Amino acid sequence: MTETVYLVGSGPGDPDLLTVKARRLLDEADVVLHDKLPGPDIIDLIDPERREDVGKRAGGERTPQSAINERLVELAHEGKSVVRLKGGDPFVFGRGGEEAAYLADHGVPFEVVPGVTSAIAGPAVAGIPATHREYASTVSVVTGHEDPTKEKSAVDWDALAATGGTIVVLMGVGKLPDYTAALREAGKDPETPVALVERATWPDQRVATGTLDTIVDVRDEAGIEPPAVTVVGEVAGERERVVEFLEGY
Ligand code: SAH
């Protein structure tokens, strides 16, 4: 009989931020397919015989998405209970939607188990509220992986600048110089606060702050690397106000 596949969000990395359901499924599953994004503390919870790393391989090559899709279907048809564990929430930039569609196309029942997304939790644990009654009535979550200079960027940085709200960029460490420039060109104040939250909720979380003008230098000096979320907007300035009393990570 074909088993149900669970597309499970791990949250940002602290095992205490797994949902109760995610934790139970991790304990019960025959096989857990994961990449590196859930972080070492969560991956260590799964016993090594029951987990398959489908992330980047040693040589730096990524398991193709098609191979992951096929493996999910294969295991389900073998009658194995499968968890596909994804960092944060499975349907926020994790290709979870593609996996769900593939499962449906192949007649495999699946369930989505939402997770705490790094887009909101990353800023939060750094003392940065995603919205603010006085100066951030919207929050946009966008990918930074795009090249903003390419003819037709899938992210409209002009429109984002015009909202005046918070902009959270995922996968945005490498292209930070491009989209901060795009936002300045779109008329966003160069003094707008920007924060980088690296490995949010992991034991070695780091936070670096600056402005649209300075954040690239800040990134370089601190050596910030993925995974990190970028927060652009007045809310990023809130950290300074609360950091002295901010506990947790
Ligand atoms: N589904 C995930 C996002 C996947 S895209 C979620 O909901 O969080 C991968 C990007 O997520 C990374 O490049 C980084 O920008 C962000 N990310 C995921 N986990 C993170 C963490 N613990 N700290 C900072 N950024 C994280």
Side-chain angles (χ1 to χ4, degrees), residues 16-28:
D16 280 354
L17 293 177
L18 281 163
T19 62
V20 174
K21 190 164 189 172
R23 184 66 224 249
R24 177 168 59 76
L25 289 167
L26 285 183
D27 288 341
E28 290 174 355

Side-chain angles (χ1 to χ4, degrees), residues 102-142:
Y102 188 91
L103 292 168
D105 285 350
H106 289 76
V108 176
F110 68 94
E111 183 173 334
V112 183
V113 180
V116 175
T117 181
S118 68
I120 305 298
V125 296
I128 301 168
T131 65
H132 193 288
R133 191 163 52 88
E134 279 155 35
Y135 48 72
S137 298
T138 66
V139 53
S140 307
V141 178
V142 304

Side-chain angles (χ1 to χ4, degrees), residues 11-14 37-38 86-95 115-120 122 169-173 197-202 226-230:
D14 177 355
L37 200 56
K86 305 181 83 76
D89 181 273
F91 275 9
V92 177
F93 292 123
R95 303 186 72 168
V116 175
T117 181
S118 68
I120 305 298
V169 188
L170 301 188
M171 298 172 282
V173 177
V197 187
E198 180 192 58
R199 294 192 292 274
T201 82
W202 297 24
V229 294
T230 311

